[in-house]
Amino acid sequence: MRVRTIVVILAAAVGLGLLTGRFVLPARSTTTVAPGAAPAPPGDGSAAPKPAGGPMTDRHLLAAAEFGKVGFSKHIHVRDRVGDGRYANAACAGEKTLGETLGGPGAHFRGLLTTTDTDDGDPTLAVNIEDQVAREVAADAGSPALAQNYAQRLLLEEVPCQEEPAAHWVYGPTHTIDVAPRITASWMSSYDGDLNTTGTAPRGKEPCGGIAVLRNGSHYGVLEVDACLDTAAMTRIVRAAVTRL
């Protein structure tokens, strides 16, 4: 066999992964995080999740157990409700309700709290913000295209808080987590005002929680994390939330 023919065959075999006894699958970019941050742990080899569709239920909302996996040790109380209400950081989105912003039927609200002392008008909100671990608001848009539209609009509402006067709390750059086609999340880390000296998020500093906009098939949602989680922990929590959504 000619040398040129052998080279061609070997090159093709390497490209297919046959020389190692396995096929090479296209790599998927699953997480984009800040430089130096630990990405979410790899999957267990199971098939990629399918995009969600149909009505929302409580089982689509983030489980309290996910916080234990990132080292949060306090007991978490779960409070759910269905209806309308404030859905994101009021300093960015204002005091509007989800219905006022997007219309449509009532959403599912879940509060994760370290207390049973909750707001009289909304059991998913702790009376003391220090007792709020996280809060998720999610709904079914009716179609993947509309869910994408809603998610983009909700994210744009939070973007202005990436620039704030020095000494004011501020959101960091937008991170993207792509779990599978039509299952994606965008999140921003949160920084206290004492770390904001230039009007934007500090470089090289770990955040203290943050906010995420989620989209899974026809489902969409907003997740606020008040617990002081760093980049790696936030990445894992947001990934768990959008996968479950």
Side-chain angles (χ1 to χ4, degrees):
M1 184 179 292
R2 294 181 180 178
V3 173
R4 181 177 179 181
T5 303
I6 294 174
V7 171
V8 171
I9 293 173
L10 288 176
V14 170
L16 293 174
L18 295 177
L19 293 182
T20 62
R22 59 183 180 182
F23 291 100
V24 178
L25 299 177
R28 176 180 295 280
S29 177
T30 56
T31 306
T32 302
V33 298
D44 59 4
S46 59
K50 295 181 180 180
M56 282 284 305
T57 67
D58 290 346
R59 68 180 179 84
H60 292 109
L61 301 177
L62 181 64
E66 295 296 338
F67 284 87
K69 297 177 183 178
V70 297
F72 191 87
S73 59
K74 293 183 179 180
H75 177 72
I76 295 177
H77 301 271
V78 179
R79 297 292 182 267
D80 294 327
R81 72 176 181 86
V82 177
D84 196 10
R86 181 172 67 80
Y87 56 90
N89 194 313
C92 288
E95 292 291 347
K96 297 176 296 182
T97 69
L98 192 65
E100 290 171 339
T101 299
L102 301 176
H108 281 252
F109 289 69
R110 168 162 291 179
L112 302 173
L113 318 102
T114 59
T115 181
T116 57
D117 189 11
T118 61
D119 186 278
D120 290 338
D122 189 342
T124 67
L125 289 170
V127 171
N128 188 336
I129 188 61
E130 293 181 358
D131 297 324
Q132 191 87 36
V133 179
R135 184 169 181 263
E136 184 178 9
V137 181
D140 176 48
S143 72
L146 194 55
Q148 180 179 18
N149 176 276
Y150 285 173
Q152 290 172 341
R153 290 165 61 184
L154 292 169
L155 182 63
L156 286 174
E157 283 194 324
E158 307 300 322
V159 168
C161 277
Q162 291 177 323
E163 295 184 3
E164 291 288 348
H168 190 284
W169 69 266
V170 67
Y171 283 148
T174 304
H175 305 282
T176 300
I177 298 175
D178 292 318
V179 176
R182 293 188 292 180
I183 304 178
T184 185
S186 298
W187 70 274
M188 304 175 197
S189 47
S190 182
Y191 294 88
D192 291 336
D194 58 353
L195 294 177
N196 175 11
T197 60
T198 63
T200 58
R203 293 179 178 270
K205 299 289 185 179
E206 283 295 335
C208 188
I211 190 167
V213 176
L214 318 170
R215 178 172 66 92
N216 186 329
S218 65
H219 295 174
Y220 68 95
V222 176
L223 173 68
E224 285 187 276
V225 177
D226 296 290
C228 198
L229 302 187
D230 61 16
T231 300
M234 277 294 297
T235 299
R236 182 162 185 163
I237 289 293
V238 173
R239 183 182 179 87
V242 73
T243 302
R244 189 178 180 93
L245 185 67

